[in-house]
Amino acid sequence: MFELFNPRRPNRTPLATTPNRWDWALLPLVLAVFAAVAFGAMQMSRPFTVGQETPISLDPINLPYYLLRTMLRMFTALGCSLLFSFVFAAIAAKYRAAEKVMIPLLDILQSVPILGFQALAIAPFIALFPGNLLGVECAAIFAIFTSQAWNMAFSLYQSMRTVPPELNEAARVFQLSGWLRFWRLELPFAMPGLLWNMMMSMSGGWFFLVAAEAISVAGQDIKLPGIGAYIAVAIEAENGVAIAWAIGAMLAGIVLYDQLFFRPLLAWADKFRFEESQGETAQHSWLLDWVRRSHWMRVLTGRFWSMLRRALGWFSARPDGMTPQPRSRPFDTWWPRAWDALILLAALLGAYRLVVFVHSDVGWGEAAHVMGLGFITLVRVLLLIALASVVWVPIAVWIGLRPQYSQRVQAVAQFLAAFPVNLMFPLVVFLLVTFKLNPNIWLSPLLVFGTQWYILFNVVAGASTIPNELRLAADNLGLKGWLKWKRVYLPAVFPSFVTGAITASGGSWNASIVAEYVTWGKTTLVADGLGSYIKQMTDAGDFHRIALGIGVMCIFVMLLNRFFWRKLYSLAEDRSR
């Protein structure tokens, strides 16, 4: 069951080459996808010079083209995020010395606002592709990547650290190498949760799409054709009708990639569920059914998996199960201490250089003020994450235990998670100005609007992997009500909840740059907080104060993770063993 690539498995691809009706049904769809990708890729590498105007039309007839460009950027970023997650999670989970550096680094990376990455990346990418739009496209893809990768990497890392003991013991009995262990055990075990987090990452890309496609850093105002740039222009023009068209286009895009990409993947990944009995709880996909009935697609996919198994086999040892495998000697006692000292020295050196850079233009009084702004944002994040947990954990468990319902709410949940908070600016500005509400209070819900779904998606993934035997045992013991939640459901989803809460917390800090600084036309509402400070300094191109704001945000996130979330994560690891 937990086997993804088996080099010794014979190829059972059917030899039939005559097309059937399913081949003819799939052919127009496949050709349309290839043609759209080729056309969009060609448009992404057009000539471009810095300062050249890139007009964005609000005519809704252009929305299909803008949607195509946006989808290409998001899926390119998703592919890069998946490769990054494989490498990052595997190294961090297997090597204790690397884990000491990589997990705190992940905390820092997920807390750096997308504008911070963009301010540093836009110039190098443009210089890498001079005279070509591809440089700006790479900068936009990189910005979307920073809103997707950290969540997926942490999800895979958490799953690899919580593989059940009996499966670990089986891997040791069969003497699997580290390479085979990853592909045959750890990745298949992590697959359901990873797929749900991929959906959440795609939604996170939509959430920050305006910042990624409407680039405004240090006087540079570049708008790439896409839904995000369309929304930015509509906000500037105070065009509510264009906002409505953008919402419709975004919904159409989410339904498309849900049906053509994520739904087939979720149905395929049912083979990696921990329990054997699936029955009526299995996911279903009309596209996957068509592919399985198609002669040509079965031949092509069979050859693809066969080539992939052979390629992966080149890098793996094949123990015979009888010969004892050599074990590496443990490190000397001085090595861990030397490594810790080296990490501490590097951290102190980096902190020193950051302080010197910031202090060259910023006084200590302003730095203390920014620390106070960080504390205000911290209070908002903790309160809103707590409220979101109380609301969404019970709902997510209910959905995860009933996959037949999860398929129905899947696209709806993706749409809500992807809904950019910028699209709510007209309503928010109208309500706050009309009723003279305090922005410091009433802008706060925007902070968690797009990040609360990390909790929902992760808990749904965790609840969907609860073995049927455990649920039947709880029913036989007569567990009901709160006792059943306390003894069965909450402990089972606790590791997934912690993963979702950590990523939701980091995402909320990132979202503060959008939630604490709201603009609609000529009206601007500003809430006191670290996010609004970074947003204003980014628009002004003040890199010293951008570095100060990002540095303070990283400090708050790291302290919160170290002394709160990591304690919960360690408890989740202990309970899973």
Side-chain angles (χ1 to χ4, degrees):
M1 178 175 60
F2 292 97
E3 183 177 0
L4 190 58
F5 303 113
N6 184 356
R8 299 182 177 180
R9 186 171 55 189
N11 184 7
R12 298 180 181 176
T13 304
L15 299 177
T17 57
T18 304
N20 58 15
R21 57 178 178 173
W22 303 108
D23 293 305
W24 296 115
L26 284 171
L27 184 61
L29 179 61
V30 173
L31 292 178
V33 171
F34 275 113
V37 171
F39 174 74
M42 181 178 62
Q43 296 298 313
M44 292 172 70
S45 58
R46 301 175 63 182
F48 173 81
T49 56
V50 178
Q52 178 181 339
E53 184 178 358
T54 53
I56 301 297
S57 172
L58 294 182
D59 190 339
I61 199 173
N62 295 309
L63 280 174
Y65 171 65
Y66 292 161
L67 179 63
L68 172 64
R69 295 285 294 272
T70 293
M71 298 290 286
L72 284 178
R73 295 185 192 108
M74 294 185 69
F75 272 98
T76 302
L78 185 69
C80 296
S81 300
L82 190 61
L83 294 176
F84 170 83
S85 301
F86 284 176
V87 177
F88 187 98
I91 296 176
K94 293 177 182 295
Y95 300 100
R96 180 65 176 172
E99 182 186 29
K100 293 181 179 179
V101 178
M102 298 177 71
I103 298 304
L105 180 63
L106 190 63
D107 293 336
I108 295 174
L109 291 174
Q110 73 173 350
S111 63
V112 175
I114 188 174
L115 295 181
F117 286 111
Q118 202 171 56
L120 299 176
I122 180 66
F125 277 117
I126 290 178
L128 186 62
F129 300 95
N132 198 298
L133 188 63
L134 192 58
V136 186
E137 290 284 356
C138 288
I141 291 171
F142 178 74
I144 298 172
F145 166 85
T146 61
S147 67
Q148 295 178 343
W150 326 132
N151 171 53
M152 294 167 56
F154 196 81
S155 169
L156 185 56
Y157 165 80
Q158 181 262 343
S159 297
M160 292 177 65
R161 290 295 301 270
T162 56
V163 174
E166 59 270 23
L167 297 181
N168 283 322
E169 184 62 28
R172 284 191 292 269
V173 169
F174 286 104
Q175 298 180 357
L176 296 183
S177 64
W179 179 262
L180 292 178
R181 180 188 177 91
F182 176 79
W183 291 108
R184 295 192 187 183
L185 171 60
E186 293 164 342
L187 182 59
F189 177 78
M191 189 63 68
L194 180 61
L195 286 178
W196 279 97
N197 277 279
M198 286 173 62
M199 289 191 291
M200 185 64 239
S201 293
M202 282 291 286
S203 299
W206 283 102
F207 189 79
F208 293 104
L209 196 61
V210 174
E213 293 184 349
I215 302 172
S216 179
V217 177
Q220 295 290 336
D221 189 8
I222 305 172
K223 292 182 174 61
L224 294 171
I227 300 297
Y230 184 92
I231 293 172
V233 173
I235 291 175
E236 293 174 1
E238 299 185 56
N239 191 328
V241 175
I243 292 291
W245 279 110
I247 294 174
M250 186 180 66
L251 177 59
I254 292 172
V255 171
L256 275 175
Y257 70 67
D258 174 69
Q259 292 295 317
L260 301 182
F261 185 74
F262 284 118
R263 188 65 61 86
L265 279 180
L266 284 172
W268 170 78
D270 264 335
K271 67 174 71 176
F272 303 123
R273 289 170 61 91
F274 186 66
E275 70 273 11
E276 289 286 351
S277 57
Q278 296 174 11
E280 299 179 356
T281 66
Q283 294 271 353
H284 298 284
S285 167
W286 61 268
L287 181 59
L288 185 62
D289 292 339
W290 283 18
V291 169
R292 286 171 173 170
R293 295 168 182 170
S294 165
H295 289 171
W296 285 353
M297 292 302 297
R298 289 167 64 187
V299 170
L300 290 175
T301 55
R303 291 178 179 175
F304 169 78
W305 289 117
S306 178
M307 294 173 59
L308 188 58
R309 284 194 295 269
R310 287 198 297 268
L312 292 173
W314 294 342
F315 301 96
S316 61
R318 299 182 182 179
D320 56 12
M322 300 294 293
T323 305
Q325 300 298 308
R327 295 184 179 181
S328 58
R329 294 186 305 169
F331 290 112
D332 295 331
T333 55
W334 60 268
W335 168 246
R337 297 180 182 178
W339 179 247
D340 291 343
L342 183 62
I343 295 173
L344 179 61
L345 181 62
L348 291 176
L349 179 61
Y352 171 75
R353 294 300 298 260
L354 178 63
V355 170
V356 170
F357 174 75
V358 172
H359 189 55
S360 63
D361 193 60
V362 181
W364 295 111
E366 183 175 352
H369 172 68
V370 175
M371 291 292 292
L373 294 178
F375 182 77
I376 294 174
T377 303
L378 172 66
V379 173
R380 290 195 181 108
V381 169
L382 291 178
L383 287 176
L384 292 169
I385 291 297
L387 290 174
S389 300
V390 171
V391 172
W392 290 113
V393 168
I395 296 176
V397 171
W398 188 90
I399 295 174
L401 294 176
R402 299 165 177 82
Q404 66 273 23
Y405 291 103
S406 69
Q407 294 185 71
R408 301 175 186 176
V409 304
Q410 182 175 311
V412 177
Q414 287 185 74
F415 176 73
L416 294 175
F419 196 86
V421 70
N422 312 71
L423 297 179
M424 299 186 65
F425 285 179
L427 178 62
V428 171
V429 170
F430 173 77
L431 292 177
L432 267 65
V433 171
T434 301
F435 296 99
K436 299 180 180 180
L437 302 176
N438 187 349
N440 287 314
I441 297 176
W442 296 102
L443 287 182
S444 297
L446 298 179
L447 197 71
V448 77
F449 180 81
T451 58
Q452 60 187 333
W453 313 107
Y454 286 103
I455 298 174
L456 173 67
F457 276 58
N458 277 276
V459 176
V460 166
S464 65
T465 59
I466 297 177
N468 289 332
E469 293 80 2
L470 180 62
R471 296 163 57 183
L472 293 174
D475 293 338
N476 290 335
L477 292 174
L479 298 182
K480 295 181 180 179
W482 170 243
L483 184 60
K484 190 174 185 178
W485 279 85
K486 181 180 178 181
R487 298 297 184 186
V488 180
Y489 294 154
L490 293 181
V493 303
F494 187 65
S496 299
F497 164 74
V498 174
T499 300
I502 291 176
T503 50
S505 175
S508 295
W509 284 93
N510 207 326
S512 64
I513 62 174
V514 180
E516 295 178 348
Y517 192 89
V518 173
T519 301
W520 175 249
K522 297 181 180 180
T523 304
T524 300
L525 301 176
V526 180
D528 296 329
L530 195 54
S532 61
Y533 177 85
I534 295 174
K535 171 64 175 174
Q536 294 175 73
M537 294 304 107
T538 302
D539 291 343
D542 192 333
F543 288 95
H544 292 84
R545 287 170 173 80
I546 292 174
L548 173 62
I550 293 175
V552 170
M553 183 173 288
C554 291
I555 291 173
F556 272 98
V557 172
M558 289 186 66
L559 291 176
L560 181 63
N561 288 351
R562 175 66 179 83
F563 295 103
F564 182 68
W565 294 119
R566 291 302 171 203
K567 300 294 184 182
L568 293 180
Y569 188 75
S570 298
L571 180 61
E573 279 189 330
D574 294 339
R575 290 198 171 190
S576 65
R577 294 173 180 171

